[in-house]
Amino acid sequence: MRLAILPALALFLAACGGSEPDLPGEDTVAPNPPAEDARVDYEAEGGMIVGGPCSYETDIIEVTVIESDEDGAMVEGPGGEEMYVPSEYVSPVPATGETLTLKVERITEGTCTPLIFSRVE
């Protein structure tokens, strides 16, 4: 009986690989996650839509720039609401103190871009 078990065990080990799994070593480092402010240029990606069907509420508001740099502007809207507007929405970036009119689209349904800004001339 013992002799019958040895060939069966050998076949089992051969079928299962019989070696250690191919795992990363202890010194393997995971890649860094994307930066919090990482953005996807959807136009460069062929205008793909992300997140399925989305609905937005649209408002036209007048805002005052309270802080700005080459990356965008912090603006104050009606009722003291502060919003950060990235430079791709307000190029050229307005100077601090400047007043401008924005079309603001706020997501109400879906998982697309939560806020979309358009400068109204």
Side-chain angles (χ1 to χ4, degrees):
M1 178 73 173
R2 289 182 195 174
L3 295 177
I5 293 175
L6 290 176
L9 181 59
L11 286 172
F12 176 75
L13 289 175
C16 294
S19 64
E20 292 291 319
D22 193 20
L23 298 175
E26 289 181 17
D27 60 341
T28 302
V29 178
N32 291 328
E36 282 187 37
D37 66 343
R39 298 182 183 103
V40 176
D41 185 347
Y42 295 110
E43 288 181 17
E45 296 291 327
M48 71 178 178
I49 298 173
V50 176
C54 296
S55 299
Y56 289 88
E57 174 183 280
T58 303
D59 293 307
I60 305 293
I61 60 173
E62 192 167 289
V63 298
T64 302
V65 178
I66 54 177
E67 198 176 312
S68 69
D69 60 25
E70 66 275 356
D71 296 325
M74 180 65 75
V75 298
E76 183 177 340
E81 178 184 16
E82 292 183 3
M83 296 173 279
Y84 180 75
V85 183
S87 62
E88 63 252 23
Y89 294 116
V90 289
S91 184
V93 176
T96 300
E98 191 174 332
T99 299
L100 58 146
T101 304
L102 293 177
K103 177 171 110 175
V104 181
E105 298 174 75
R106 289 180 174 88
I107 193 164
T108 58
E109 186 178 336
T111 57
C112 301
T113 305
L115 282 171
I116 300 173
F117 300 97
S118 302
R119 194 174 196 163
V120 178
E121 298 297 329

